[in-house]
Protein backbone atom coordinates (compact mmCIF):
# COMPACT_ATOMS: atom_id res chain seq x y z
CA UNK A 1 0.00 0.00 0.00
CA UNK A 2 2.80 2.41 0.79
CA UNK A 3 4.13 2.27 -2.79
CA UNK A 4 0.73 3.09 -4.26
CA UNK A 5 0.26 5.87 -1.76
CA UNK A 6 3.68 7.31 -2.43
CA UNK A 7 3.14 7.20 -6.20
CA UNK A 8 -0.06 9.23 -5.93
CA UNK A 9 1.51 11.70 -3.52
CA UNK A 10 4.53 12.16 -5.78
CA UNK A 11 2.31 12.78 -8.80
CA UNK A 12 0.19 15.35 -6.96
CA UNK A 13 3.28 17.08 -5.60
CA UNK A 14 4.79 17.25 -9.10
CA UNK A 15 1.72 18.12 -11.18
CA UNK A 16 -0.97 19.41 -8.82
CA UNK A 17 -3.26 16.51 -9.70
CA UNK A 18 -3.27 12.79 -10.45
CA UNK A 19 -5.45 10.19 -12.09
CA UNK A 20 -5.59 7.08 -9.91
CA UNK A 21 -6.32 3.75 -11.62
CA UNK A 22 -8.98 1.46 -10.18
CA UNK A 23 -6.53 -1.30 -9.20
CA UNK A 24 -4.32 1.09 -7.27
CA UNK A 25 -7.31 2.60 -5.47
CA UNK A 26 -8.66 -0.87 -4.73
CA UNK A 27 -5.35 -1.80 -3.04
CA UNK A 28 -5.38 1.36 -0.95
CA UNK A 29 -8.99 0.87 0.16
CA UNK A 30 -8.61 -2.85 0.84
CA UNK A 31 -5.72 -2.02 3.16
CA UNK A 32 -7.92 0.57 4.87
CA UNK A 33 -10.71 -1.95 5.53
CA UNK A 34 -13.09 -1.67 2.55
CA UNK A 35 -15.89 -4.24 2.46
CA UNK A 36 -19.27 -4.41 0.67
CA UNK A 37 -18.54 -2.09 -2.26
CA UNK A 38 -21.81 -3.25 -3.85
CA UNK A 39 -23.89 -2.05 -0.91
CA UNK A 40 -22.05 1.26 -0.82
CA UNK A 41 -22.46 1.80 -4.56
CA UNK A 42 -26.18 0.90 -4.43
CA UNK A 43 -26.82 3.78 -2.02
CA UNK A 44 -26.48 6.18 -4.99
CA UNK A 45 -29.93 4.93 -6.05
CA UNK A 46 -31.37 6.87 -3.09
CA UNK A 47 -30.31 10.52 -3.42
CA UNK A 48 -32.33 13.73 -3.15
CA UNK A 49 -32.91 16.19 -5.98
CA UNK A 50 -30.62 19.25 -5.95
CA UNK A 51 -33.12 22.13 -6.05
CA UNK A 52 -30.51 24.92 -5.92
CA UNK A 53 -29.55 24.73 -9.58
CA UNK A 54 -29.32 28.29 -10.95
CA UNK A 55 -29.51 26.95 -14.51
CA UNK A 56 -32.94 25.48 -13.69
CA UNK A 57 -31.63 21.97 -14.27
CA UNK A 58 -33.21 18.99 -12.55
CA UNK A 59 -30.48 16.58 -13.53
CA UNK A 60 -28.45 16.46 -10.30
CA UNK A 61 -29.15 14.32 -7.24
CA UNK A 62 -27.02 14.39 -4.11
CA UNK A 63 -26.47 13.86 -0.40
CA UNK A 64 -23.96 15.61 1.82
CA UNK A 65 -22.18 15.16 5.15
CA UNK A 66 -19.34 16.85 7.06
CA UNK A 67 -16.66 15.07 9.06
CA UNK A 68 -13.73 15.94 11.28
CA UNK A 69 -10.69 14.00 10.12
CA UNK A 70 -7.46 13.60 12.03
CA UNK A 71 -4.83 10.92 12.45
CA UNK A 72 -6.73 7.67 12.74
CA UNK A 73 -10.02 9.32 13.63
CA UNK A 74 -13.14 9.92 11.55
CA UNK A 75 -15.92 11.80 13.33
CA UNK A 76 -19.16 12.91 11.71
CA UNK A 77 -20.20 16.50 12.40
CA UNK A 78 -23.81 17.66 12.89
CA UNK A 79 -25.62 18.13 9.60
CA UNK A 80 -24.81 21.53 8.16
CA UNK A 81 -25.21 23.51 4.96
CA UNK A 82 -22.69 23.41 2.14
CA UNK A 83 -21.27 26.86 1.44
CA UNK A 84 -19.14 28.11 -1.45
CA UNK A 85 -18.51 31.79 -2.04
CA UNK A 86 -19.37 33.30 -5.42
CA UNK A 87 -15.63 33.66 -5.99
CA UNK A 88 -15.43 29.89 -6.29
CA UNK A 89 -18.89 29.16 -7.63
CA UNK A 90 -20.43 32.13 -9.47
CA UNK A 91 -23.37 29.99 -10.61
CA UNK A 92 -24.59 28.26 -7.45
CA UNK A 93 -22.43 29.78 -4.70
CA UNK A 94 -23.06 32.71 -2.34
CA UNK A 95 -25.68 31.02 -0.21
CA UNK A 96 -25.96 28.20 2.30
CA UNK A 97 -27.25 25.16 0.49
CA UNK A 98 -28.94 22.47 2.57
CA UNK A 99 -28.83 19.05 0.99
CA UNK A 100 -30.27 15.77 2.20
CA UNK A 101 -27.90 14.20 4.73
CA UNK A 102 -25.91 11.12 3.86
CA UNK A 103 -27.73 8.26 5.57
CA UNK A 104 -26.45 6.80 8.81
CA UNK A 105 -25.71 3.49 7.08
CA UNK A 106 -23.57 5.17 4.40
CA UNK A 107 -21.95 7.56 6.88
CA UNK A 108 -20.64 4.62 8.90
CA UNK A 109 -20.01 2.26 5.97
CA UNK A 110 -16.60 0.54 5.80
CA UNK A 111 -16.13 1.86 2.26
CA UNK A 112 -16.56 5.48 3.32
CA UNK A 113 -14.39 4.94 6.38
CA UNK A 114 -11.66 3.43 4.18
CA UNK A 115 -11.96 6.29 1.66
CA UNK A 116 -11.70 8.98 4.36
CA UNK A 117 -8.71 7.30 6.00
CA UNK A 118 -7.04 7.00 2.61
CA UNK A 119 -7.69 10.69 1.90
CA UNK A 120 -6.03 11.58 5.18
CA UNK A 121 -3.06 9.30 4.39
CA UNK A 122 -2.70 10.92 0.97
CA UNK A 123 -3.27 14.56 1.75
CA UNK A 124 -2.07 15.18 5.27
CA UNK A 125 1.59 14.38 4.43
CA UNK A 126 1.36 16.60 1.33
CA UNK A 127 0.45 19.58 3.51
CA UNK A 128 3.32 21.78 4.73
CA UNK A 129 3.82 21.53 8.50
CA UNK A 130 3.21 25.25 9.01
CA UNK A 131 -0.27 25.09 7.49
CA UNK A 132 -1.28 21.61 8.61
CA UNK A 133 -4.38 21.67 10.85
CA UNK A 134 -4.95 19.51 13.91
CA UNK A 135 -8.24 18.44 12.39
CA UNK A 136 -9.36 18.62 8.77
CA UNK A 137 -12.83 19.93 7.92
CA UNK A 138 -13.94 17.27 5.47
CA UNK A 139 -17.05 17.31 3.31
CA UNK A 140 -18.45 14.29 1.51
CA UNK A 141 -20.85 14.51 -1.42
CA UNK A 142 -22.68 11.72 -3.19
CA UNK A 143 -23.64 12.92 -6.68
CA UNK A 144 -25.72 11.45 -9.47
CA UNK A 145 -25.83 13.34 -12.78
CA UNK A 146 -28.66 12.17 -15.01
CA UNK A 147 -28.57 12.57 -18.78
CA UNK A 148 -31.70 12.58 -20.87
CA UNK A 149 -32.35 12.87 -24.57
CA UNK A 150 -32.05 16.56 -25.42
CA UNK A 151 -30.85 17.43 -21.91
CA UNK A 152 -27.21 16.66 -21.28
CA UNK A 153 -26.30 16.33 -17.60
CA UNK A 154 -23.64 18.76 -16.46
CA UNK A 155 -21.37 17.37 -13.72
CA UNK A 156 -19.87 20.84 -13.18
CA UNK A 157 -22.39 23.43 -14.36
CA UNK A 158 -20.11 26.18 -13.04
CA UNK A 159 -17.48 25.16 -15.61
CA UNK A 160 -13.75 25.01 -14.85
CA UNK A 161 -13.47 25.83 -11.15
CA UNK A 162 -11.77 25.34 -7.84
CA UNK A 163 -13.75 24.06 -4.85
CA UNK A 164 -12.24 26.60 -2.40
CA UNK A 165 -10.63 23.90 -0.25
CA UNK A 166 -7.17 22.39 0.08
CA UNK A 167 -7.61 18.89 -1.37
CA UNK A 168 -10.21 17.13 -3.52
CA UNK A 169 -10.86 13.50 -4.35
CA UNK A 170 -13.39 12.63 -7.07
CA UNK A 171 -14.09 8.90 -7.25
CA UNK A 172 -16.22 7.22 -9.88
CA UNK A 173 -18.86 4.97 -8.37
CA UNK A 174 -20.73 3.95 -11.51
CA UNK A 175 -21.37 4.99 -15.12
CA UNK A 176 -24.52 3.75 -16.76
CA UNK A 177 -25.29 4.36 -20.43
CA UNK A 178 -23.45 7.71 -20.67
CA UNK A 179 -20.79 9.03 -23.03
CA UNK A 180 -18.25 11.80 -22.41
CA UNK A 181 -17.96 13.20 -18.86
CA UNK A 182 -14.28 13.97 -19.34
CA UNK A 183 -12.35 15.49 -16.46
CA UNK A 184 -10.16 18.42 -17.48
CA UNK A 185 -7.42 20.07 -15.43
CA UNK A 186 -6.11 23.61 -16.01
CA UNK A 187 -3.39 25.59 -14.28
CA UNK A 188 -4.24 28.90 -12.62
CA UNK A 189 -3.55 30.74 -15.89
CA UNK A 190 -6.10 28.57 -17.69
CA UNK A 191 -3.59 26.44 -19.59
CA UNK A 192 -4.64 22.79 -20.05
CA UNK A 193 -2.54 20.38 -17.97
CA UNK A 194 -4.36 17.15 -18.68
CA UNK A 195 -7.65 15.38 -19.25
CA UNK A 196 -8.98 11.89 -18.61
CA UNK A 197 -12.30 10.11 -18.30
CA UNK A 198 -13.28 8.19 -15.18
CA UNK A 199 -14.74 4.99 -16.66
CA UNK A 200 -14.43 2.23 -14.08
CA UNK A 201 -15.62 2.14 -10.47
CA UNK A 202 -12.93 3.39 -8.05
CA UNK A 203 -11.04 5.35 -10.73
CA UNK A 204 -10.31 8.72 -9.21
CA UNK A 205 -9.08 12.24 -9.76
CA UNK A 206 -6.96 13.68 -6.96
CA UNK A 207 -6.55 17.46 -6.98
CA UNK A 208 -4.48 20.10 -5.21
CA UNK A 209 -7.21 22.76 -5.20
CA UNK A 210 -4.79 25.64 -4.60
CA UNK A 211 -2.83 24.84 -7.76
CA UNK A 212 -5.30 23.73 -10.42
CA UNK A 213 -8.81 24.18 -11.78
CA UNK A 214 -10.97 21.16 -12.57
CA UNK A 215 -14.13 20.61 -14.58
CA UNK A 216 -16.06 17.80 -16.23
CA UNK A 217 -17.70 17.86 -19.67
CA UNK A 218 -21.44 17.09 -19.92
CA UNK A 219 -22.66 13.52 -20.10
CA UNK A 220 -25.08 12.35 -22.77
CA UNK A 221 -27.13 9.17 -23.00
CA UNK A 222 -25.79 6.50 -25.34
CA UNK A 223 -29.25 4.93 -25.65
CA UNK A 224 -31.84 7.67 -24.99
CA UNK A 225 -34.56 5.09 -24.32
CA UNK A 226 -33.09 3.88 -21.03
CA UNK A 227 -31.77 5.60 -17.87
CA UNK A 228 -28.35 7.23 -18.18
CA UNK A 229 -26.33 8.53 -15.24
CA UNK A 230 -22.89 9.13 -13.74
CA UNK A 231 -22.39 8.51 -10.01
CA UNK A 232 -19.40 9.99 -8.17
CA UNK A 233 -18.21 10.52 -4.63
CA UNK A 234 -16.46 13.82 -3.89
CA UNK A 235 -14.39 14.31 -0.75
CA UNK A 236 -12.92 17.73 0.07
CA UNK A 237 -10.55 18.59 2.89
CA UNK A 238 -9.78 22.05 4.15
CA UNK A 239 -8.22 23.67 7.15
CA UNK A 240 -11.14 24.09 9.55
FE1 LIG B 1 -15.34 20.67 -7.95
Amino acid sequence: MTDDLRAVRDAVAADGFSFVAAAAMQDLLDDAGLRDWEGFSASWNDLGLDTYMADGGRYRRRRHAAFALSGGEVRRKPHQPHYQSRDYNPLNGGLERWFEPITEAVGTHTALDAILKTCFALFDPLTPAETKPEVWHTEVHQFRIEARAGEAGRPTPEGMHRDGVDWVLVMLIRRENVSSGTTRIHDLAGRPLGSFTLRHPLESAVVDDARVFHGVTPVEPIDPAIPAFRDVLVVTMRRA
Side-chain angles (χ1 to χ4, degrees), residues 84 156 158 161-163 168 170 209 214 234:
Q84 287 178 293
T156 56
E158 67 272 48
H161 68 282
R162 291 193 289 161
D163 287 353
V168 183
V170 181
D209 197 50
H214 61 275
V234 174

Side-chain angles (χ1 to χ4, degrees), residues 2-14 17-21 24-25 28 122-123 126 206:
T2 47
D3 282 353
D4 283 332
L5 212 46
R6 193 173 305 120
V8 178
R9 272 199 223 112
D10 289 351
V12 174
F17 73 99
S18 180
F19 167 84
V20 184
M25 185 56 77
L28 293 175
L122 274 177
F123 296 136
L126 279 168
V206 174

Side-chain angles (χ1 to χ4, degrees), residues 192-234:
L193 295 179
S195 72
F196 47 85
T197 304
L198 303 178
R199 295 199 179 280
H200 305 290
L202 294 169
E203 282 182 348
S204 299
V206 174
V207 171
D208 182 342
D209 197 50
R211 287 174 59 189
V212 299
F213 286 83
H214 61 275
V216 181
T217 62
V219 288
E220 291 162 17
I222 295 168
D223 178 351
I226 57 175
F229 55 86
R230 177 182 185 266
D231 290 349
V232 300
L233 176 74
V234 174

Side-chain angles (χ1 to χ4, degrees), residues 156-187:
T156 56
E158 67 272 48
M160 295 299 292
H161 68 282
R162 291 193 289 161
D163 287 353
V165 299
D166 293 288
W167 304 105
V168 183
L169 170 86
V170 181
M171 179 181 290
L172 186 76
I173 303 298
R174 184 177 171 195
R175 281 173 74 101
E176 201 61 45
N177 185 35
V178 292
S179 61
S180 193
T182 299
T183 299
R184 295 182 300 148
I185 307 286
H186 288 179
D187 70 13

